[in-house]
Amino acid sequence: MLSIGLVGATNVGKSTLFNRLIKQYRAIVTNIAGTTTDIVRQTSELKGIGKVSFVDSPGLLDFTEEWVFIKQIIDEEDLLLFVIDDSVGITAKEQHIFSYIMEQNKKQNTILVINKLDVNHSEKDYDLALAEYYSLGFEHVIGVSAKKEKNIGEIIDAIKEVVHQLSSGSLSEESTTHTIDSSAIASEGQEVDENMIKLAIVGKPNAGKSTLLNQITKQYLAKVEDKAGTTRDYIVGDFERKGQQFTIYDTAGIKKKGKIHGIERIAYEKIKKMLQYVRPIVIFMIDIAAGISHRDLTLLAEIEHMGLPLIIGLNKIDLLEEKNKNTLQSIKTHLKIAKYIPVVPMSALHGDGKERLLNMVSKVHVENTKRIDTNELNSMISHERLQRPPRFAKNKVCKILYITQVDIDAPTFMIFVNHSKRINFALKRWIEN
């Protein structure tokens, strides 16, 4: 699959442009410098090319930290969109990025995008405003306003032209460049692998979610610090294990509702929408050293209400001293309200428990996509009714006539009864158990 990376200094509008190109609200956008703190990847469809992976680099306040991600994108992606803010112009950061692009012989693989032209210029003066940027020597220089969605189509046209030049070898012989293997360009209409298992890592800030993502994917995809709230947007990574393809989502740490403001509120709403849309298996991370809190329990209830399969990862087990092992039992006791949820003690930092966790993910996936034969279901209900019958008030008995499974993910069952008005809480709990 063709990969296209967006690079540039902090707050030049990369994330806004990224969202325009993929035609959805994926990267969080504000006027606050450093809003995007991780590499964000998203697959989209470009007419005439097919499946394309767009990669947005983070804009961090410390350029030294930011540079690690920018350098990675320049090294690894097929094409680059080098974004410059016209209202600021070319600074030392842009010069540094430009020098590395030249050093890596990626000039012919780069499209220069001059954003925010609308700040100081009217639309009819866009071409004139671009004149000074041609001095950098790029063949394709596109002036846009990502915020107002001006000239986005020109970027897509330029991408198609560069792809054609690089795949056909029609660039000048004296130009040293990275060619694109035509097999990397997905055919239009190519289907996404329906057998891919999707995971999401969820939990409070600083529970070790990003560390687990990096441990599982063996890539430095998420920025890992001891500072709570380091991840703001959700991060996506892919990996393969025992022939099975996985997509994994690392989410921002979720605080108490009363403490979520601004960017964090946007991130929280995005996480909920992603979970509802993707319907992944959720690995809920709990910092065992900090213990389980009321917020952990309310988050578990929210996820359970969505009908998503859950696994609880008790992280930082390596920090638990022998004399405090009863803490583990105490947490498990708190979780008895959801005793069907598997619990895996682990250390994301050292990788302890990782294989047990992934084995459990595969097992939960099988259960979540299983269909149970109708005869088997009704036989089980009949057997359970004889062994431990549900309780009803006198002359208020509700009899189950028939049960059948109507859907998977989440497994959904339809139950026929003789008196629907007599269904009580006890019967619902009896069926669930």
Side-chain angles (χ1 to χ4, degrees):
M1 184 187 298
L2 180 70
S3 60
I4 302 174
L6 283 74
V7 295
T10 302
N11 213 32
V12 296
K14 298 187 299 296
S15 294
T16 304
L17 179 60
F18 179 84
N19 289 336
R20 295 298 188 194
L21 290 168
I22 65 173
K23 298 181 180 178
Q24 58 178 287
Y25 187 76
R26 174 63 182 85
I28 298 174
V29 180
T30 72
N31 290 324
I32 304 170
T35 297
T36 304
T37 60
D38 306 289
I39 289 178
V40 180
R41 301 175 188 271
Q42 183 69 38
T43 300
S44 187
E45 185 97 17
L46 288 186
K47 189 175 181 180
I49 297 178
K51 295 286 184 183
V52 173
S53 175
F54 285 101
V55 183
D56 182 19
S57 63
L60 305 179
L61 297 175
D62 185 340
F63 187 70
T64 305
E65 295 181 0
E66 182 182 7
W67 177 245
V68 175
F69 296 97
I70 294 174
K71 185 173 178 291
Q72 178 183 336
I73 289 176
I74 293 173
D75 289 340
E76 296 179 358
E77 312 312 327
D78 298 315
L79 294 185
L80 301 173
L81 300 181
F82 180 16
V83 185
I84 295 178
D85 180 352
D86 178 67
S87 65
V88 176
I90 300 174
T91 69
K93 291 182 180 180
E94 279 77 20
Q95 290 285 3
H96 194 60
I97 295 169
F98 171 72
S99 297
Y100 191 72
I101 289 173
M102 298 298 288
E103 181 184 322
Q104 296 303 111
N105 297 317
K106 284 287 190 81
K107 179 181 175 183
Q108 299 296 341
N109 298 62
T110 302
I111 298 168
L112 183 61
V113 179
I114 310 303
N115 191 29
K116 304 186 184 181
L117 280 176
D118 56 304
V119 175
N120 295 323
H121 307 281
S122 61
E123 193 171 348
K124 62 183 177 63
D125 295 328
Y126 278 11
D127 289 341
L128 185 63
L130 294 177
E132 65 174 293
Y133 297 102
Y134 279 98
S135 62
L136 293 174
F138 293 103
E139 180 180 351
H140 297 279
V141 181
I142 313 294
V144 304
S145 170
K147 185 177 181 180
K148 295 184 178 179
E149 208 169 354
K150 298 289 186 182
N151 293 355
I152 304 301
E154 290 190 22
I155 297 177
I156 296 172
D157 290 340
I159 290 172
K160 293 177 183 177
E161 187 175 338
V162 173
V163 168
H164 174 72
Q165 290 174 336
L166 294 176
S167 59
S168 64
S170 60
L171 289 167
S172 169
E173 291 183 4
E174 58 189 37
S175 300
T176 304
T177 186
H178 290 256
T179 59
I180 296 177
D181 185 350
S182 58
S183 63
I185 304 173
S187 60
E188 291 189 67
Q190 181 177 343
E191 295 293 327
V192 177
D193 184 3
E194 293 182 354
N195 295 319
M196 181 175 287
I197 297 177
K198 300 179 181 68
L199 311 175
I201 310 173
V202 178
K204 293 191 306 183
N206 212 29
K209 299 181 297 297
S210 296
T211 305
L212 178 61
L213 171 74
N214 294 328
Q215 180 69 243
I216 290 176
T217 62
K218 296 182 173 62
Q219 297 181 58
Y220 187 66
L221 288 177
K223 185 169 177 280
V224 181
E225 292 181 2
D226 288 333
K227 180 182 177 182
T230 303
T231 302
R232 291 199 181 115
D233 203 353
Y234 63 82
I235 312 304
V236 185
D238 294 317
F239 67 98
E240 182 178 336
R241 178 178 182 264
K242 297 181 180 179
Q244 173 67 57
Q245 295 292 328
F246 294 81
T247 294
I248 186 166
Y249 298 78
D250 172 31
T251 63
I254 304 173
K255 301 178 180 179
K256 291 182 179 179
K257 286 188 176 181
K259 295 184 178 180
I260 303 175
H261 305 286
I263 296 172
E264 291 173 342
R265 167 66 62 179
I266 298 171
Y268 174 62
E269 294 301 325
K270 276 190 64 184
I271 289 168
K272 290 202 298 183
K273 289 179 180 178
M274 179 274 288
L275 292 175
Q276 291 166 346
Y277 179 77
V278 176
R279 299 199 56 80
I281 296 171
V282 175
I283 300 173
F284 190 87
M285 299 288 283
I286 295 176
D287 180 351
I288 196 170
I292 191 166
S293 67
H294 177 71
R295 184 54 175 151
D296 288 315
L297 296 176
T298 57
L299 282 173
L300 281 170
E302 286 184 46
I303 296 167
E304 186 182 22
H305 185 69
M306 295 180 192
L308 299 175
L310 266 164
I311 299 171
I312 293 174
L314 294 183
N315 191 29
K316 305 184 184 180
I317 193 74
D318 53 307
L319 300 182
L320 205 62
E321 296 179 6
E322 191 66 35
K323 61 182 179 181
N324 293 326
K325 289 296 182 183
N326 59 334
T327 304
L328 177 60
Q329 189 57 44
S330 173
I331 290 176
K332 287 184 176 180
T333 301
H334 276 94
L335 295 173
K336 279 187 177 179
I337 57 170
K339 58 185 178 183
Y340 58 87
I341 302 175
V343 178
V344 180
M346 59 183 298
S347 169
L349 182 63
H350 301 293
D352 299 337
K354 181 182 76 172
E355 289 304 312
R356 289 196 303 274
L357 179 68
L358 293 176
N359 286 337
M360 184 58 69
V361 165
S362 297
K363 183 178 179 181
V364 168
H365 173 70
V366 170
E367 293 297 317
N368 193 48
T369 54
K370 179 192 289 185
R371 283 196 178 273
I372 305 175
D373 181 74
T374 300
N375 289 334
E376 183 181 346
L377 275 173
N378 285 281
S379 296
M380 179 182 66
I381 288 291
S382 297
H383 175 76
E384 289 297 316
R385 189 166 56 231
L386 290 172
Q387 295 295 317
R388 49 180 195 91
R391 296 180 179 180
F392 298 98
K394 189 175 181 180
N395 297 324
K396 297 282 187 178
V397 174
C398 179
K399 184 178 180 181
I400 296 175
L401 302 175
Y402 183 75
I403 181 171
T404 186
Q405 184 173 356
V406 295
D407 204 357
I408 60 172
D409 188 25
T412 306
F413 303 87
M414 183 177 290
I415 301 173
F416 298 87
V417 297
N418 61 341
H419 289 290
S420 60
K421 291 183 179 179
R422 294 181 180 178
I423 297 174
N424 58 20
F425 176 79
L427 179 61
K428 291 179 181 177
R429 180 56 60 91
W430 181 84
I431 293 170
E432 288 174 358
N433 291 334

